[in-house]
């Protein structure tokens, strides 16, 4: 009898450990359903998914970085720069040539790759602390954004470009559809490829990974490139959503991205975590933001709530590791 009780306790602990984040998400949704009649409407659900998709793209890139034991604080600023670069190529305001949406998106992603590569070189080759390197890029990218736009929005975006932010596919908003594709590709990369295993190995123990023959510098460099690319891509989508290139876009987005990754169970020390957890973490952030907006809660209090959620998530992760 005692053995059965112990087995039941172990199964419950295992279930709670594996599905804590999912249960948190369900609890938040249930609370909001009872708190507001507008929360569970299809229109609002579409809105949550659309808003989450941008943070989700940043969070995916952040997951790659944090799995190696790093951090990327520059994603919000890189998003802004990628957004205004894409906007400038499809804006009718200047009276110049209008480029195709594909060219604009590729240009935005190119800026993200370059900025991510610079951060990656600083961290991987020159051994600059990831916090310092990405903090520096945060300031550089934001400064370049204001220089590029002279501090002014870029309006009159070509209608064809707006599809990636305002269009829909199979009944889903285009940003959500894009996010789903990126999640699928990233999941396959992390779980089914040698490169994905190398990322986990570098985050688990960089020295051991190096001894075993893994090019740790290349792996670390590459995750910052991925993070920059996805951030700038998110900037192009946000530009299409807002119908203008906004130099102030993306402020504090890095905090939501980090929050989604941490809430999703990825260890800040690297080597442990899952992309599915990050997706659920991003959805939790999206539900919290949307729910508090619906309830008319001040943005100041929203910051307190999100900060508290991050701390609780870290505490839960710490307790699970000790048990």
């Amino acid at each position: 009898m005692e053995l059965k009780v112990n087995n039941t306790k172990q199964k419950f602990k295992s279930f709670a450990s594996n599905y804590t984040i999912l249960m948190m998400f369900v609890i938040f949704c249930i609370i909001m359903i009872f708190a507001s009649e507008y929360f569970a409407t299809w229109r609002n659900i579409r809105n949550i998914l659309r808003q989450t998709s941008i943070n989700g793209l940043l969070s995916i890139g952040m997951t790659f970085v944090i799995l190696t034991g790093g951090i990327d604080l520059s994603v919000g600023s890189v998003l802004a720069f990628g957004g205004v670069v894409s906007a400038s190529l499809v804006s009718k305001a200047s009276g110049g040539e209008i480029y195709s949406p594909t060219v604009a998106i590729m240009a935005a992603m190119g800026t993200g790759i370059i900025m991510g590569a610079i951060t990656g070189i600083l961290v991987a080759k020159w051994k600059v602390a990831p916090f310092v390197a990405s903090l520096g890029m945060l300031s550089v990218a934001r400064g370049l954004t204001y220089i590029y736009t002279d501090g002014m929005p870029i309006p009159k975006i070509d209608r064809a470009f707006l599809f990636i932010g305002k269009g829909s596919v199979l009944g889903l908003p285009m940003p959500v559809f894009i996010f789903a594709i990126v999640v699928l590709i990233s999941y396959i990369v992390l779980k089914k490829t040698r490169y994905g295993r190398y990322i986990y190995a570098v985050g688990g123990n960089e020295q051991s990974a190096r001894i075993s023959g893994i090019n740790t510098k290349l792996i670390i460099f590459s995750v910052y490139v991925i993070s920059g690319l996805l951030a700038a891509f998110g900037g192009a989508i946000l530009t299409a959503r807002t119908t203008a290139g906004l130099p102030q876009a993306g402020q504090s987005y890095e905090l939501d991205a980090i929050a989604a990754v941490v809430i999703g169970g990825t260890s800040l020390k690297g080597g442990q975590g899952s992309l599915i957890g990050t997706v659920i973490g991003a959805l939790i952030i999206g539900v919290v933001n949307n729910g508090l907006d619906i309830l008319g809660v001040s943005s100041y209090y929203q910051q307190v709530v999100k900060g508290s959620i991050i701390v609780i998530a870290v505490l839960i992760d710490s307790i699970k590791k000790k048990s």
Side-chain angles (χ1 to χ4, degrees), residues 66-71 258 261-262 265-272 314 317 321:
I66 291 180
L67 281 173
T68 64
I71 196 88
I258 294 170
V261 177
V262 172
T266 298
S267 174
L268 288 171
K269 295 181 180 179
Q272 294 181 340
V314 173
D317 181 61
K321 288 178 180 178

Side-chain angles (χ1 to χ4, degrees), residues 235-289:
I237 295 173
L238 184 61
T239 293
R241 268 189 56 202
T242 57
T243 68
L246 304 175
Q248 71 274 23
Q251 291 182 350
S252 299
Y253 275 33
E254 60 275 356
L255 300 181
D256 279 358
I258 294 170
V261 177
V262 172
I263 291 170
T266 298
S267 174
L268 288 171
K269 295 181 180 179
Q272 294 181 340
S274 72
L275 196 66
I276 301 303
T278 293
V279 172
I280 297 174
L283 286 171
I284 289 175
I285 294 295
V287 167
V288 170
N289 287 338

Side-chain angles (χ1 to χ4, degrees), residues 67-316:
L67 281 173
T68 64
I71 196 88
D72 189 356
L73 301 177
S74 68
V75 291
S77 297
V78 173
L79 175 145
F81 192 48
V84 298
V85 167
S86 63
S88 67
L89 297 176
V90 291
S91 173
K92 299 177 182 178
S94 64
E97 182 179 356
I98 303 295
Y99 293 87
S100 71
T102 301
V103 171
I105 293 169
M106 294 299 291
M109 293 170 68
T111 63
I113 289 172
I114 292 171
M115 291 180 171
I118 293 172
T119 304
I121 290 172
L122 290 173
V123 175
K125 184 175 181 179
W126 299 104
K127 301 299 180 183
V128 177
F131 181 91
V132 176
S134 61
L135 183 63
M137 182 53 69
L138 177 153
S139 182
V140 169
R142 184 64 65 180
L144 288 174
T145 301
Y146 282 110
I147 292 171
Y148 189 81
T149 62
D150 199 25
M152 300 296 291
I154 301 177
K156 298 183 179 179
I157 303 300
D158 185 58
R159 181 172 295 181
F161 182 78
L162 300 182
F163 179 74
I164 64 170
K166 289 181 169 293
S168 62
V169 175
L170 302 177
L172 287 176
M174 192 60 183
V176 180
F177 188 76
I178 294 171
F179 175 53
I181 293 175
V182 174
V183 168
L184 178 61
I185 294 173
S186 301
Y187 179 83
I188 293 172
V189 169
L190 282 175
K191 290 295 183 182
K192 304 296 182 181
T193 68
R194 181 180 298 178
Y195 173 69
R197 292 192 293 273
Y198 285 175
I199 288 175
Y200 279 95
V202 171
N205 191 314
E206 184 179 345
Q207 184 175 357
S208 296
R210 188 185 304 112
I211 292 173
S212 65
I214 297 174
N215 188 338
T216 57
K217 290 184 179 180
L218 181 59
I219 296 297
I220 293 172
F221 168 80
S222 66
V223 296
Y224 287 95
V225 171
I226 292 171
S227 181
L229 183 153
L230 291 178
F233 186 30
I237 295 173
L238 184 61
T239 293
R241 268 189 56 202
T242 57
T243 68
L246 304 175
Q248 71 274 23
Q251 291 182 350
S252 299
Y253 275 33
E254 60 275 356
L255 300 181
D256 279 358
I258 294 170
V261 177
V262 172
I263 291 170
T266 298
S267 174
L268 288 171
K269 295 181 180 179
Q272 294 181 340
S274 72
L275 196 66
I276 301 303
T278 293
V279 172
I280 297 174
L283 286 171
I284 289 175
I285 294 295
V287 167
V288 170
N289 287 338
N290 178 267
L292 294 178
D293 284 339
I294 289 177
L295 296 176
V297 177
S298 166
S299 60
Y300 305 131
Y301 288 103
Q302 290 187 29
Q303 294 298 320
V304 174
V305 172
K306 285 193 286 187
S308 300
I309 292 172
I310 296 172
V311 173
I312 291 171
V314 173
L315 285 175
I316 291 173

